[in-house]
Amino acid sequence: MEREEYIFKKLGSLSTIDKALADEMVENLGEWTTVKKTAEYFNKHRNTIYDKAESGDIIHKKMGASIVIYTKSLIFLLE
C-alpha cells in the first residue's frame, strides 16, 4: 500500500475529536493549503513542514515550484 493510501485509510478511522480538529483546520486553512500557512498555523518553521511532506507524513502535491498540502492530513502532525 502506498504511503498516501495509508494516510487516507487512517483519516477514515479518526476518532470523533480528531475529526473535529481536522474539520477546524480545514475551516481555517481551506481543503488544500500552503507550507507557509501551515507553518504559521502550527507555529513551526517552514523547514519542519517541508520535512514532514518529504518524509510522507502528510499528503502533499507539487504545483510548479510550490507545494500544497491536504489540510486534513495535518492532523497527524499533532501525534
Side-chain angles (χ1 to χ4, degrees):
M1 177 183 305
E2 187 178 308
R3 182 84 172 155
E4 192 172 288
E5 290 177 66
Y6 174 73
I7 292 172
F8 271 114
K9 186 175 179 181
K10 281 183 68 176
L11 284 170
S13 62
L14 290 176
S15 70
T16 305
I17 292 171
D18 284 344
K19 282 180 186 176
L21 287 171
D23 290 343
E24 184 170 324
M25 285 188 275
V26 169
E27 187 176 312
N28 287 299
L29 298 170
E31 192 73 25
W32 290 86
T33 189
T34 64
V35 170
K36 181 180 178 186
K37 287 181 183 178
T38 301
E40 290 171 356
Y41 186 82
F42 285 99
N43 197 28
K44 301 283 184 188
H45 195 276
R46 287 186 311 219
N47 288 345
T48 302
I49 307 305
Y50 281 117
D51 289 344
K52 293 292 185 181
E54 289 176 16
S55 67
D57 292 339
I58 54 179
I59 297 172
H60 68 286
K61 298 291 177 196
K62 290 188 179 183
M63 294 184 68
S66 300
I67 291 177
V68 291
I69 297 167
Y70 184 62
T71 303
K72 286 187 179 183
S73 70
L74 295 173
I75 194 71
F76 302 119
L77 292 180
L78 301 176
E79 294 182 338

